[in-house]
Amino acid sequence: MSVIVKGKDISYSYDFGNSAYALRNVDLSIAKGEFVYILGCNGSGKSTLVRHLNALLKLQHGALSVAGFDVANENDMWQLRRICGMVFQNPDNQFVSSVVEEDIAFGLENYEVPRTEIPAKVNAALQVVDMAGYEKRATNSLSGGQKQRIALAGVFALDPEIIIFDEATAMLDPEGRREVLAMMRKLHDVGKTIIAITHYIEEAVHADRVILMHEGAAIASGKPQDILTDVQLLKQAEIMPPMPVRVYYDLLSLGIRLSSCPLTDEELAEKVCALRSKI
Ligand SMILES: Nc1ncnc2c1ncn2[C@@H]1O[C@H](COP(=O)(O)OP(=O)(O)OP(=O)(O)O)[C@@H](O)[C@H]1O
Ligand SMILES: [Mg+2]
């Protein structure tokens, strides 16, 4: 698999070293088409790291290339922002127009896509996020999940290779979260590289890989099954393990051993049922 994001020794300080570093010597490698979650407690440097990828923050130390572009090269900044789209926590802050189709068209106009091509691209983007028919709707008349899907359509319309979700589900109710998570999986299925940040650890269980951050450093990287069941490591990162993992260890402390440590609710239910059949 080819590497699409390659970072080496990235350090960053918001006040040029006068206080603690927000990033400390981070190495990063993400394969094209990979679905990666970055997890870490508040202030661990997740947003600071991903904001380097599309040059929202200027590289201070180390090296970083994204889709073949050196992020330190300011001439490539706009190209980089197109290749590496970003969806943030609050959809209301991302809209530039109050009408759905105008909002999606805005990014395309910015990138000087010929006017005649814009309506087809807007329609295609709305289809991908299951929002066809909402072209004329006011953005403020949509639910939280629908707003995030429109924000995502605006990013998707620019045909990015990488889409970053920085806590894009944080403000949504369970239904809205499900909608956005489904879109993330769909975009991954069509070949996009997905980088997601969340405090809902259970969202990360189906990722290809999890990167753990703590105090500005990337302290671990691996499969969800390995990282999210490692309670010592999660403790070091000041993150609460997923509920099924906590139940597994609680049961173990009572002398009850499940066949292996479950990650999802379904796996937990299955293993508890298997236990029952042995009694
Ligand atoms: N604009 C800023 N100015 C000064 N310091 C900042 C700024 N943004 C972040 N920081 C600091 O940099 C460090 C890393 O912050 P960052 O926002 O990257 O963390 P995070 O992991 O995304 O946290 P959260 O989960 O709360 O979003 C923190 O100590 C934070 O206080
Ligand atoms: Mg953040």
Side-chain angles (χ1 to χ4, degrees):
M1 241 197 282
S2 63
V3 172
I4 194 162
V5 176
K6 186 82 193 155
K8 185 92 192 113
D9 204 18
I10 303 168
S11 293
Y12 188 86
S13 165
Y14 282 95
D15 55 6
F16 295 93
N18 287 324
S19 61
Y21 272 77
L23 290 179
R24 294 187 291 124
N25 312 104
V26 174
D27 291 344
L28 184 69
S29 180
I30 294 174
K32 192 169 164 57
E34 209 178 2
F35 194 151
V36 180
Y37 265 88
I38 302 178
L39 302 177
C41 60
N42 287 135
S44 56
K46 306 177 297 292
S47 297
T48 305
L49 179 62
V50 296
R51 280 162 198 241
H52 278 78
L53 266 51
N54 60 0
L56 279 178
L57 289 177
K58 202 167 173 243
L59 190 70
Q60 288 176 353
H61 182 270
L64 176 63
S65 77
V66 176
F69 291 97
D70 180 351
V71 302
N73 188 348
E74 287 179 20
N75 295 331
D76 294 334
M77 191 177 75
W78 288 106
Q79 186 68 356
L80 207 53
R81 290 204 181 149
R82 185 168 182 175
I83 287 171
C84 192
M86 221 163 166
V87 182
F88 297 92
Q89 186 168 338
N90 187 348
D92 290 325
N93 293 344
Q94 299 177 65
F95 294 133
V96 284
S97 165
S98 54
V99 179
V100 165
E101 65 180 358
E102 288 172 14
D103 187 75
I104 300 170
F106 180 81
L108 293 161
E109 285 161 10
N110 250 350
Y111 279 97
E112 292 173 4
V113 171
R115 283 198 171 272
T116 51
E117 293 176 21
I118 288 180
K121 286 189 188 291
V122 170
N123 283 336
L126 283 170
Q127 298 240 343
V128 164
V129 298
D130 290 341
M131 292 288 285
Y134 284 75
E135 292 77 359
K136 309 284 179 205
R137 283 281 291 268
T139 50
N140 65 11
S141 73
L142 304 174
S143 73
Q146 289 172 333
K147 282 180 182 173
Q148 271 308 38
R149 280 150 62 191
I150 295 302
L152 180 53
V155 168
F156 181 83
L158 297 170
D159 197 22
E161 289 189 50
I162 303 168
I163 307 178
I164 299 170
F165 296 82
D166 190 349
E167 294 195 44
T169 59
M171 295 181 66
L172 306 179
D173 65 13
E175 181 52 29
R177 276 175 66 202
R178 261 194 298 276
E179 290 172 11
V180 172
L181 292 172
M183 291 305 125
M184 288 161 73
R185 275 194 291 275
K186 190 170 172 183
L187 292 168
H188 177 240
D189 288 345
V190 300
K192 303 291 180 194
T193 304
I194 307 288
I195 303 171
I197 294 172
T198 185
H199 286 288
Y200 294 109
I201 194 164
E202 67 277 11
E203 289 181 6
V205 300
H206 297 297
D208 292 328
R209 189 156 56 98
V210 170
I211 295 171
L212 216 52
M213 294 200 65
H214 190 241
E215 294 179 350
I219 61 167
S221 158
K223 290 193 181 313
Q225 187 63 46
D226 297 329
I227 301 285
L228 302 182
T229 58
D230 189 335
V231 288
Q232 282 311 319
L233 184 62
L234 294 177
K235 194 174 176 191
Q236 188 191 336
E238 299 177 73
I239 293 178
M240 180 97 89
M243 185 275 285
V245 175
R246 282 183 277 144
V247 172
Y248 173 79
Y249 283 101
D250 285 350
L251 289 175
L252 205 56
S253 70
L254 297 170
I256 302 166
R257 181 182 290 275
L258 302 181
S259 59
S260 63
C261 184
L263 258 194
T264 64
D265 295 358
E266 292 74 20
E267 283 169 10
L268 173 63
E270 217 171 86
K271 286 174 197 294
V272 169
C273 287
L275 198 65
R276 196 165 154 259
S277 68
K278 281 189 202 156
I279 299 170

